[in-house]
Amino acid sequence: MTAPPVPPRVPLACLPTPILKLERLSACFGVEIFVKRDDLTGLLETGNKVRKLEFLVGEALALGADTLVTCGTLQSNCCRAVAAVAARLGLRAVLALRGEKPDTYDGNLLLGRLLGAEVVYCSEDEFERIDEVFARLTEDVRARGGRPYVIPESGATELGALGYLECAHEIAEQVRHGAPAFDTLVMTAFSGGSQAGLLMGKQVGGLSAEIVGIPIAHAASQVREYVGATITRAAARFGLAVDPPKAVHLLDGYQGMGRASIRKEELATIIRLAREEGIVLDPVYTGKAFLGFLDHLARDPKQFGSRVCFIHTGGIFSLFPFRASLSNLLDGHPLVDA
Ligand SMILES: Cc1ncc(COP(=O)(O)O)c(C=O)c1O
């Protein structure tokens, strides 16, 4: 059985997410700064992932799947969201995680296990050849009588990106109902799939803002290539009137030490936003991106126009495994590596 071109979207997220003004940061930089709270799309099925999963799980159900198979880091937000959605819909989840089984579960991994996901730990080498791991895991699921559906890391497919095309429609609708017409939307980029969705929204979703991504892991060139390829695939597969943009606006240089570790300035950014605005970022994705955003605002506050909105894509649970570094910084001691 083949799935329809755009499978029915399964409503999983609490939408629309609110848009709030960051009053003290706005006063500090002399421009209006807002945040779109995509960290409030749910509690467990939350962040940007659940918007992608509305489409990916829609396809899984249309194909008659009963087991979601995906992969990520030990603290993957996507894997936790998949585990939560699977439990909510009565499906099974199998997670291929990069790393060794820890003695004690924490953060997203703790929640994934609590939600009943089966976890398979992979070495770096195995993770490099994730397609082979997926082939093995899906074979195992079938051997047990199950029907697997594979979700690539971060839900990074043209189908997943439709979640952020929908978000573009949502923002355009909020603007029609009185939200500020933003000059720029800024967001974290890992694969770039969410950014690709918003960029499609600029062409067919009624969104006029400039879309800026901040890569937190991969080189900007890689993100740029992925964004373009995703839009090309979405156009071909779903018949959308979208083209890869001539320029994909990315702020490079905020990858830090990668997703597994955190630097003092990233943690300091998290502390600043928590204390000044009561909003908690995550250390792996949004904390790095927000550091880049503030850094650029400090250099030229007007570069994003007079109204800019940061899309907070969630990830709070990965804060807890960084408790040692964070506690030290909060108590004024030198940072210890997490
Ligand atoms: C909290 C958070 N923000 C942003 C992203 C980046 O999403 P994308 O892969 O669509 O660029 C991720 C994805 O891993 C995430 O977990």
Side-chain angles (χ1 to χ4, degrees), residues 48-49 52 77 154 188-194 282 285-286 313-315:
N48 63 333
K49 293 297 135 46
K52 297 183 181 190
N77 294 309
S154 188
T188 312
F190 169 59
S191 66
S194 304
D282 82 290
Y285 297 92
T286 55
T313 41

Side-chain angles (χ1 to χ4, degrees), residues 155-158 191-193 221-231 233:
T157 69
E158 63 278 10
S191 66
S221 55
Q222 193 176 330
V223 174
R224 193 166 279 122
E225 201 179 303
Y226 178 80
V227 169
T230 301
I231 295 175
R233 280 197 298 271

Side-chain angles (χ1 to χ4, degrees), residues 71-154:
C71 71
T73 58
L74 290 185
Q75 283 303 322
S76 162
N77 294 309
C78 189
C79 289
R80 177 254 308 145
V82 166
V85 166
R88 176 165 152 194
L89 299 179
L91 307 172
R92 288 167 53 91
V94 179
L95 314 177
L97 300 186
R98 193 175 76 197
E100 288 176 16
K101 181 179 185 301
D103 293 337
T104 311
Y105 298 134
D106 201 350
N108 285 311
L109 177 57
L110 176 66
L111 290 169
R113 291 293 292 125
L114 181 66
L115 290 158
E118 189 182 318
V119 174
V120 176
Y121 297 93
C122 302
S123 66
E124 290 293 326
D125 274 2
E126 284 174 310
F127 207 82
E128 292 284 304
R129 299 191 308 277
I130 197 67
D131 287 345
E132 291 173 23
V133 175
F134 279 147
R136 201 178 71 227
L137 294 179
T138 50
E139 215 171 283
D140 289 351
V141 171
R142 283 195 198 94
R144 286 185 270 157
R147 293 181 301 280
Y149 176 86
V150 171
I151 299 174
E153 185 172 20
S154 188

Side-chain angles (χ1 to χ4, degrees), residues 101-329:
K101 181 179 185 301
D103 293 337
T104 311
Y105 298 134
D106 201 350
N108 285 311
L109 177 57
L110 176 66
L111 290 169
R113 291 293 292 125
L114 181 66
L115 290 158
E118 189 182 318
V119 174
V120 176
Y121 297 93
C122 302
S123 66
E124 290 293 326
D125 274 2
E126 284 174 310
F127 207 82
E128 292 284 304
R129 299 191 308 277
I130 197 67
D131 287 345
E132 291 173 23
V133 175
F134 279 147
R136 201 178 71 227
L137 294 179
T138 50
E139 215 171 283
D140 289 351
V141 171
R142 283 195 198 94
R144 286 185 270 157
R147 293 181 301 280
Y149 176 86
V150 171
I151 299 174
E153 185 172 20
S154 188
T157 69
E158 63 278 10
L159 181 57
L162 296 187
Y164 270 83
L165 169 54
E166 279 301 316
C167 179
H169 284 294
E170 182 179 304
I171 295 171
E173 185 68 12
Q174 287 174 307
V175 170
R176 273 194 292 279
H177 286 88
F182 304 115
D183 297 308
T184 309
L185 294 170
V186 178
M187 76 184 318
T188 312
F190 169 59
S191 66
S194 304
Q195 190 177 359
L198 287 186
L199 283 165
M200 289 192 272
K202 228 173 122 73
Q203 298 178 56
V204 293
L207 197 64
S208 57
E210 173 74 5
I211 312 294
V212 176
I214 307 184
I216 54 75
H218 303 304
S221 55
Q222 193 176 330
V223 174
R224 193 166 279 122
E225 201 179 303
Y226 178 80
V227 169
T230 301
I231 295 175
T232 303
R233 280 197 298 271
R237 182 170 162 195
F238 307 123
L240 292 169
V242 289
D243 291 309
K246 286 191 184 62
V248 177
H249 194 157
L250 297 171
L251 307 183
D252 202 10
Y254 299 96
Q255 291 85 348
M257 297 189 310
R259 285 187 297 167
S261 34
I262 180 116
R263 295 178 305 158
K264 187 174 174 179
E265 50 271 50
E266 293 156 359
L267 276 179
T269 301
I270 294 174
I271 295 172
R272 176 174 182 187
L273 198 69
R275 293 187 172 178
E276 286 188 17
E277 303 285 354
I279 291 177
V280 178
L281 299 165
D282 82 290
V284 183
Y285 297 92
T286 55
K288 291 183 170 64
F290 210 83
L291 170 66
F293 177 45
L294 291 184
D295 198 28
H296 276 257
L297 279 170
R299 284 190 229 163
D300 174 9
K302 298 272 187 226
Q303 68 181 282
F304 302 113
S306 54
R307 285 170 173 169
V308 53
C309 181
F310 182 83
I311 302 188
H312 186 341
T313 41
I316 191 170
F317 301 117
S318 62
L319 193 61
F320 300 100
F322 287 92
R323 60 174 60 73
S325 306
L326 194 53
S327 306
N328 269 284
L329 206 58

